[in-house]
Amino acid sequence: MLVLDELDRGLIHALHVDARAPFTLVADVLGCSTQTVVRRYRRLYAGAGLRVVALPTPESSGTHQWFVRLTAATRSAHDIATALARRPDTSWVRLTSGGTEIVAIIHTPPAGPDAHALLLRDIPRTAGITAVSAHYMLHMYLGGPTAWRGRIVALDADQVARLRAESPAADGTATGNAGGSSGDAGSPTVTVGDASASASGSTGASARPLTDADRRLLAALREDARLSYAELAAATGTTASTVARRLAELRARGAVFFDIDIDPALLGVTVSALLWMQVAPAHLDTVATALAGHDELAVVAATTGPTNLVAHALCGDAAALHHYLTRRVAWDAVTRIETAPVLRTYKAATTLRLGPHASGQR
C-alpha cells in the first residue's frame, strides 16, 4: 500500500481548502517546487484513488436525499451493490453488517411521476433483496461541504490563510471546513425547550435553481473538479471566460461544494462503521451538534425512522471504535446505537470504487 508522507498530507489538506488552487500556489504554501506537487498529485491519483470532484448542494439542486438500507442474500449482495453504484442517482454505496446489508444514499427529485421510482418500484422488485428501509435525510450536521477532520490536520493556520486568500470562496462555504481539529466536545448538555444552533446545517445556498448551463458545468466538474477553464469550456460548449464567471458565481452563493475522495486507509483508518442512533426528539439537535464536533465522525445527519440520527465513524482500530462507543457517546440522551461495520465501499460521493481502491472504509 502507498504510504503518505507529510507532503502528501499537506497536498490533500490544501485541496480541501481550495480544490482548484493552482499547483504553483500549493507548492509555494508547502515549500516545494511546482513539479514536485504535480508529481505527487499524479501519484496519489494513480495509486491512492485521489479524486477532486464538485457537487451541487441539495438546496441548489432541488433534490431530496434518502439513506436506504437493503437486506440481501450474501450471494447477491455484491451484484446489487455494484448495480446501485453505477446509477447516477446514488452516492456512498456500502456493504455492511457481515455482507448482508447494503446502505446507499439515493437522490430523488422533489416531485414527478418517477420521483421515487427507485424506492417504490425498482428496489422492491429486485431479486435477492429481502428487506428495505428508507430514511429521509432531514438535516446534515456534518459531512457534505464540511470535511472529515482526519484529512485536514496537515497545514497550520498561516498556510490555510494563504490558500483562502486566493480562493474565490472567501468565506469558505464552497470549499468546506478546512480548519484544524477541534477538541473533545464532551457530553451534550441536554435541556428542555429550544435546542442550541446546529453545527452545520444549511450551506446558505441561494434558492435560485440551477440553470441548464449550470448543470452542464457541474456535470464536467463532477468528473474532475480540477479541469482548466479551457477544458471546461470545451466540455460545455462555451468560452473560458464564461465558465470562469459562472463557476465564481456558483461558489459565491454556496450552490456548489468540492469533495476530496481518497482511501481513508492511507490516513490510518482501519475500522469504519455506520452508527444508527435513537435519540429523543427534544434532545436530537443538541446531541447531533455535539457529535458534529467529534474528530472520529465524518458524517452526522438527522433522519426519519425509528433510528433518527446516523453517523459515520472512522477509527484507527477496533479498540478506538470501542472506546468511542463506550466513552464518547455513552450519553443518557442516546437511548440506542446500532453499529454496522462497513466492509466495502462501492461508490463514494461520485467515484466508483470497483477496482483496486475499493477499500472497506469511507
Side-chain angles (χ1 to χ4, degrees):
M1 177 183 291
L2 183 67
V3 177
L4 304 188
D5 61 16
E6 184 177 351
L7 184 59
D8 293 322
R9 293 173 183 270
L11 173 56
I12 294 167
H13 191 167
L15 292 173
H16 270 292
V17 179
D18 184 1
R20 290 184 57 81
F23 283 140
T24 52
L25 173 61
V26 174
D28 186 50
V29 168
L30 296 180
C32 63
S33 69
T34 302
Q35 292 83 351
T36 297
V37 169
V38 172
R39 185 169 60 250
R40 290 301 184 95
Y41 179 82
R42 289 174 177 169
R43 184 176 75 118
L44 291 172
Y45 189 97
L50 175 66
R51 298 293 185 271
V52 183
V53 300
L55 299 165
T57 60
E59 295 88 348
S60 64
S61 67
T63 59
H64 295 171
Q65 297 183 75
W66 297 78
F67 279 97
V68 178
R69 305 177 68 180
L70 312 175
T71 303
T74 304
R75 63 182 180 276
S76 58
H78 170 77
D79 291 340
I80 294 171
T82 300
L84 280 173
R86 294 187 184 282
R87 293 182 60 101
D89 54 355
T90 64
S91 61
W92 294 113
V93 180
R94 303 179 176 102
L95 188 66
T96 73
S97 302
T100 59
E101 182 179 68
I102 302 161
V103 179
I105 295 179
I106 294 177
H107 307 264
T108 65
D114 295 323
H116 301 100
L118 181 59
L119 294 174
L120 299 178
R121 183 188 64 208
D122 299 344
I123 287 177
R125 293 179 181 176
T126 301
I129 294 178
T130 58
V132 180
S133 64
H135 309 255
Y136 180 59
M137 188 186 298
L138 298 172
H139 188 80
M140 179 168 282
Y141 290 81
L142 177 66
T146 308
W148 173 51
R149 294 179 183 85
R151 294 186 300 194
I152 53 173
V153 295
L155 304 183
D156 60 33
D158 289 340
Q159 290 173 305
V160 170
R162 289 175 62 189
L163 286 164
R164 282 182 171 170
E166 302 293 332
S167 171
D171 61 358
T173 56
T175 52
N177 178 3
S181 298
S182 66
D184 186 345
S187 175
T189 301
V190 177
T191 58
V192 177
D194 291 341
S196 59
S198 300
S200 178
S202 172
T203 62
S206 168
R208 179 156 49 110
L210 296 174
T211 65
D212 290 342
D214 293 335
R215 295 183 185 279
R216 286 194 296 271
L217 175 57
L218 288 172
L221 290 167
R222 180 184 178 94
E223 299 300 320
D224 184 357
R226 288 195 60 84
L227 290 175
S228 68
Y229 290 130
E231 291 169 321
L232 290 171
T236 58
T238 184
T239 65
S241 60
T242 299
V243 165
R245 183 175 64 253
R246 181 167 290 121
L247 180 54
E249 291 172 352
L250 290 172
R251 297 180 73 173
R253 74 175 200 253
V256 61
F257 70 94
F258 296 92
D259 192 32
I260 312 301
D261 181 24
I262 190 170
D263 186 350
L266 297 170
L267 301 172
V269 174
T270 66
V271 176
S272 170
L274 293 175
L275 311 180
W276 301 93
M277 307 183 193
Q278 189 175 70
V279 182
H283 304 154
L284 180 62
D285 192 68
T286 303
V287 169
T289 300
L291 290 175
H294 287 191
D295 292 348
E296 297 88 344
L297 299 183
V299 171
V300 178
T303 69
T304 59
T307 57
N308 52 1
L309 191 65
V310 62
H312 184 204
L314 298 171
C315 299
D317 53 31
L321 177 60
H322 178 261
H323 180 272
Y324 181 73
L325 293 173
T326 58
R327 305 291 181 86
R328 300 290 307 280
V329 292
W331 302 329
D332 292 340
V334 181
T335 58
R336 175 190 170 206
I337 300 180
E338 178 187 349
T339 305
V342 176
L343 304 181
R344 178 174 176 180
T345 298
Y346 286 79
K347 186 180 186 179
T350 67
T351 308
L352 291 176
R353 292 189 185 169
L354 305 179
H357 304 298
S359 83
Q361 315 307 330
R362 180 180 183 268

